[in-house]
Each structure stands twice: as structure tokens, then as C-alpha cells.
Amino acid sequence: MRQVQYLTQLLQEIIFKKSKNKKQEAIQEINNALERLTKEHPKQFHELELEETANLFIQNDAYQAELALAVADLLVEEAEMLKDQQFSKSKKAYQQAYMLYKKAQLDKNAAVPLDIHQKTTQIKQELSHKNALAEIEKLLN
């Protein structure tokens, strides 16, 4: 729960920094937060395959949907800031976010945001390449 609160506060800071055109600082803060999530994992967050990304949020055989949703929100912000500079990193962040959102939607006990359909639709438009979404759909089935 503390992680979710921390990430929610961080998201507010990221949005503020983005609005003040401090994108590099915002991206660095996102990377620091993601690094904390994978400190026990041999790979950095952005190096994780999609299945590894999903598995990162499974604890005691339960999917930690609220934590995954908070991370997905950060990934979307990062993807938007990187979209014009580093397309491949932006695409990977969008893919990870989309997968986390969709997996949370499948969790009957998760409190998903009311605008999750809007968020996933936006990401689908960014990931218009069919292969980018096909791998996620395959993992979710």
C-alpha cells in the first residue's frame, strides 16, 4: 500500500515537472522508481520481457493490481515524454503499461480507474503496429 501511495504522489510530481518543461528530471524520477521495483530482479524494469513485467506484480500468488496500475500510469507519462526522442523506449513503455492495465482489468478484485478504457484506447492508437498488441493479447489469454 505504501508503494502505491508513493507512486501516486510521484505521478503528481511527474505531471507537474512535465508541465514546467522539466522532462529529463521527470524521466529520471520515473526510472528511479522503476529501479526500486526491480532491485531484487536481475534485469532493469525496461529490460523485462512483457511476461516478466506481469510476473513482477505477483506476490503470494495474487496479482497486485493497484501497484501495477500505478506503475502503468508512470509508464504512460514516460512514453509520452519519450515519444519524439526515443521511439523504441516509448513503444516499450506503452506496451508494458497496456499489458499492466489489461491484466488489472481481468482481476475481479481490482479497483480499476473509471477511465481505464480511455487509457487503453489511447495506448492502442500509439501501438498501432499489430505485433505490439498481439504479444500482449497472447499473454493475457
Side-chain angles (χ1 to χ4, degrees):
M1 185 59 133
R2 241 184 306 184
Q3 279 184 309
V4 175
Q5 289 174 331
Y6 163 73
L7 293 174
T8 302
Q9 290 173 342
L10 180 61
L11 180 63
Q12 292 172 342
E13 291 175 33
I14 298 304
I15 292 170
F16 177 76
K17 285 184 180 188
K18 190 171 128 181
S19 73
K20 296 294 182 187
N21 208 21
K22 296 182 177 183
K23 292 181 182 179
Q24 278 311 118
E25 281 181 43
I27 290 169
Q28 186 58 49
E29 287 201 35
I30 292 170
N31 287 330
N32 291 344
L34 297 175
E35 198 173 290
R36 289 173 70 185
L37 285 171
T38 56
K39 67 182 175 193
E40 304 295 323
H41 199 280
K43 292 183 181 178
Q44 299 263 336
F45 192 89
H46 293 300
E47 295 172 342
L48 297 173
E49 299 295 324
L50 291 172
E51 187 171 3
E52 293 172 314
T53 303
N55 291 338
L56 188 64
F57 297 93
I58 297 174
Q59 296 174 351
N60 302 324
D61 294 329
Y63 184 65
Q64 305 298 310
E66 288 78 13
L67 180 58
L69 289 168
V71 170
D73 288 342
L74 287 176
L75 288 167
V76 169
E77 290 299 325
E78 180 182 44
E80 288 176 3
M81 288 185 279
L82 292 174
K83 194 170 18 180
D84 296 330
Q85 302 164 351
Q86 298 174 335
F87 179 75
S88 62
K89 285 187 178 183
S90 175
K91 178 184 163 192
K92 176 74 182 263
Y94 275 130
Q95 284 179 304
Q96 288 176 306
Y98 183 79
M99 197 264 314
L100 293 174
Y101 283 139
K102 295 302 275 183
K103 191 151 176 70
Q105 283 181 299
L106 296 173
D107 185 340
K108 292 176 177 56
N109 297 320
V112 295
L114 295 174
D115 66 343
I116 196 163
H117 180 70
Q118 179 183 354
K119 289 178 180 188
T120 56
T121 301
Q122 174 195 355
I123 294 171
K124 280 175 90 169
Q125 291 173 351
E126 295 294 337
L127 296 173
S128 58
H129 190 271
K130 298 243 186 242
N131 292 339
L133 295 171
E135 183 181 352
I136 296 167
E137 296 299 331
K138 183 179 171 187
L139 283 172
L140 294 173
N141 292 327

